[in-house]
Structure formats: structure tokens, C-alpha cells
């Protein structure tokens, strides 16, 4: 009988750091080079769409050539070998979890390799650059094609399913996130409210570290495979 039946994993940019993708709030992170209000809000897109699209064109190119690391692979192994239920919720917009084999996955902040039409809501996979003169293939409108990512002030995706899973889990594992952005930063409290054991696996204590019953610090490619081993051992 496994110790835990229903596991929810929350991942952030720190999980993909060792695959070569920048985090947001580390000293050389994305928000050290760009201001959120210039590139990651609906107002920024309305004000200067080309600047926002250029910011994501650069990140889409970066996401194209990277590979999952040992931490992504360990989380995919946990999902496939754990006899109970495992749901992975990621704040990351890169495709590394699915490339490592994770199946039950929610991209709560969207995906860099998808685009969304602001006019009609149509979505499609997209790997090239985006510009304002691209017309939507469904409604034909121009100027509304944006990356399918959740900007600040927008509602993250699948919040109902995430809340249901948090309310029913008995283990909540947070990997590689600073615990700065809500609602994701509040998930640990929802899991605690459900009586779950809560574990933070992060390079260093996050803003929310004190809310976790257990914290293990170190690079994800070291601490995550080891922790998964103890769960499956
Ligand atoms: C919402 C977009 C409401 C895609 C992102 C005013 C108005 C509206 C909302 C707010 C407001 N004031 C505050 C809010 C809430 C706001 C928020 O939380 N703001 C913060 C800054 C205070 N949240 C929102 O706006 C959310 N929406 O509230 O909507 C609403 C309600 C009803 C109806 C409609 C709307 C939306 C939040 C989503 C925003 N979009 N990304 C993109 O460009 O990527 S957020 C962005 O931050 C990314 O998604 C990222 O994933 C996320 C969190 O960052 P982390 O992943 O944690 O990365 P970070 O760099 O911070 O940390 C990395 C960690 O890894 C560090 O701890 C580091 O130590 C560790 N690490 C580094 N290397 C390693 C490592 N760990 C292990 N191994 C390593 N090798």
C-alpha cells in the first residue's frame, strides 16, 4: 500500500533552469531584463503588440531547442510508476514535461508553442514568429493573434480542476518555484487545508517555504530524482 494515494505536483521555472531556460526572478532572470507591465499584461499587448510579440518570439525560439532534464524525467516516472493518482500542474509555458513523458498535465499559465486569437478564441499549435499582420485562420481577423499564455491580470487555466485536485490530495510537491505569483503560490495552503503532506523541492527557500511541512533544497536534477526514489522505493 503506497504511503500517498493522490499526488499533486506544482512546477515553476526552476525545474527548467538546468535545461537551459531562464527563470524569472533569479539575478539574471527574465524580469531582470524586461518589465512585466511592458511584455506580460493585456494592456501591454493593446499598447504595443509588436513589443510583446517580439518578447515571446525570442522565448519561443529558446523553447524550441531545449531538452527535458533528470528532474522532468523523474516526475514523469513518478506519474507512470506510482499506483495512485498523479496530477502535474505547471506554471511553465515550455513543453518539457510532456517531452519527458508526463501525461496528466495542466499548463495553468498556457503554452509558448500555441497561439490564441483575441477576437474569436481560436487556438492552434505554433512554432514560428508571430506578428500583428497574421490573420486568424478561423475568423480572418488580423491584429489579435497572441501567444496562448496567461498574462498578469488574466485568469489562469483549469482553476476548477486544480482546486478539486488540491482539495483531494494527500501529497503536494512544489518544484522550482519562488512562490511569488498567485494563485499558484496559494496552492500549498489549499493542500494543507485538505490535510495533505506538503514538500518544497527548490534550489533555495522560496517565499512560501515556511508553509511547507518538508523542504529539501538543492538543484532540481539532484533533489527531484532522489525524492521520487523515496516515494517509489
Ligand atoms: C490573476 C506568463 C485575477 C507566461 C505568468 C493586480 C492585478 C491583477 C492580479 C494581481 C495584481 N496584483 C497581484 C496579482 C496577482 C498576480 C500576481 O501574483 N502578481 C505577483 C507578481 C504579485 N497574479 C495574476 O495576475 C494571475 N492572474 O490573479 O487573475 C483574475 C481573477 C478573476 C478573473 C480574472 C483575473 C496570473 C498570473 C500568471 C501570470 N503569468 N507568466 C510567461 O510569460 O511565462 S507568471 C510567471 O511567474 C511565469 O508563469 C512563472 O512560471 C511564474 C512564477 O515564477 P516561477 O516559475 O516561480 O519562477 P521564478 O523565477 O519566480 O522562481 C524560480 C525558482 O526556481 C526560484 O525559487 C529559484 O530559487 C528556483 N531555482 C532556480 N534554479 C533552480 C531552482 N530550483 C531548483 N533547481 C534549479 N536548478
Amino acid at each position: 500500500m503506497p504511503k500517498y494515494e493522490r499526488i499533486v505536483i506544482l512546477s515553476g521555472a526552476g525545474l527548467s533552469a538546468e535545461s537551459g531556460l531562464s527563470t524569472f526572478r533569479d539575478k539574471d532572470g527574465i524580469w531582470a531584463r524586461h518589465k512585466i507591465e511592458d511584455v506580460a499584461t493585456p494592456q501591454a499587448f493593446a499598447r504595443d503588440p509588436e513589443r510583446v510579440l517580439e518578447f515571446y518570439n525570442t522565448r519561443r525560439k529558446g523553447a524550441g531547442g531545449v531538452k527535458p532534464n533528470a528532474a522532468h524525467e523523474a516526475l514523469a516516472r513518478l506519474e507512470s510508476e506510482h499506483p495512485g493518482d498523479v496530477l502535474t500542474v505547471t506554471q511553465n509555458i515550455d513543453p518539457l514535461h510532456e517531452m519527458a513523458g508526463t501525461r496528466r498535465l495542466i499548463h495553468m499559465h498556457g503554452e509558448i508553442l500555441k497561439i490564441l486569437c483575441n477576437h474569436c478564441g481560436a487556438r492552434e499549435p505554433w512554432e514560428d514568429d508571430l506578428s500583428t499582420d497574421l490573420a486568424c485562420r478561423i475568423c480572418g481577423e488580423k491584429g489579435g493573434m497572441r501567444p496562448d499564455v496567461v498574462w498578469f491580470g488574466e485568469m489562469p487555466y483549469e482553476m476548477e480542476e486544480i482546486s478539486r485536485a488540491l482539495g483531494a490530495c494527500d501529497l503536494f510537491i512544489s518544484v522550482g518555484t519562488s512562490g511569488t505569483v498567485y494563485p499558484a503560490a496559494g496552492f500549498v495552503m489549499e493542500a494543507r487545508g485538505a490535510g495533505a503532506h506538503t514538500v518544497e523541492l527548490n534550489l533555495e527557500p522560496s517565499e512560501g517555504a515556511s508553509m511547507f511541512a518538508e523542504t529539501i533544497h538543492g538543484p532540481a536534477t539532484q533533489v527531484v530524482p532522489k525524492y521520487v526514489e523515496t516515494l517509489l522505493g
Side-chain angles (χ1 to χ4, degrees):
M1 185 61 174
K3 194 172 176 191
Y4 301 107
E5 283 289 297
R6 289 169 305 287
I7 302 175
V8 173
I9 299 163
L10 172 67
S11 67
L15 176 68
S16 301
E18 292 165 89
S19 292
L21 289 179
S22 291
T23 63
F24 289 86
R25 294 168 187 84
D26 285 335
K27 60 185 178 332
D28 53 352
I30 291 171
W31 299 144
R33 305 193 295 272
H34 301 272
K35 287 182 27 213
I36 287 174
E37 51 274 20
D38 291 341
V39 294
T41 67
Q43 295 76 8
F45 184 64
R47 187 173 57 244
D48 188 350
E50 284 302 347
R51 176 173 190 177
V52 172
L53 295 183
E54 194 37 49
F55 170 67
Y56 285 96
N57 288 345
T58 310
R59 291 181 59 200
R60 190 180 299 105
K61 284 193 194 75
V66 289
K67 296 267 174 291
N69 61 51
H72 293 102
E73 282 153 13
L75 295 176
R77 179 181 163 229
L78 177 61
E79 179 192 61
S80 65
E81 295 180 17
H82 180 71
D85 201 46
V86 179
L87 171 67
T88 302
V89 180
T90 187
Q91 299 172 88
N92 300 338
I93 60 176
D94 63 54
L96 294 174
H97 273 300
E98 44 276 63
M99 286 170 72
T102 290
R103 295 276 167 274
R104 265 199 78 209
L105 174 65
I106 294 176
H107 276 278
M108 66 177 289
H109 291 164
E111 298 174 67
I112 190 69
L113 298 181
K114 279 190 183 155
I115 55 174
L116 166 68
C117 174
N118 251 0
H119 300 298
C120 73
R123 281 186 172 79
E124 63 175 294
W126 192 263
E127 305 202 352
D128 306 322
D129 281 356
L130 255 188
S131 74
T132 48
D133 56 21
L134 179 78
C136 171
R137 276 181 350 142
I138 305 298
C139 71
E141 288 284 317
K142 284 192 177 184
M145 296 316 288
R146 57 176 277 185
D148 184 14
V149 299
V150 177
W151 285 325
F152 286 91
E154 294 184 324
M155 180 56 95
Y157 293 151
E158 310 286 351
M159 285 305 294
E160 268 179 40
E161 184 183 347
I162 296 171
S163 284
R164 237 194 334 272
L166 291 167
C169 75
D170 51 10
L171 177 60
F172 176 74
I173 309 171
S174 176
V175 183
T177 178
S178 61
T180 320
V181 173
Y182 288 84
F187 289 174
V188 57
M189 289 315 283
E190 284 187 61
R192 283 176 65 127
H197 179 54
T198 53
V199 183
E200 171 175 272
L201 306 179
N202 205 53
L203 186 64
E204 59 206 10
S206 73
E207 289 197 18
S210 60
M211 294 192 275
F212 288 84
E214 187 181 1
T215 55
I216 305 172
H217 295 129
T221 54
Q222 289 168 30
V223 300
V224 176
K226 222 183 292 175
Y227 186 69
V228 167
E229 198 48 51
T230 61
L231 287 178
L232 296 176

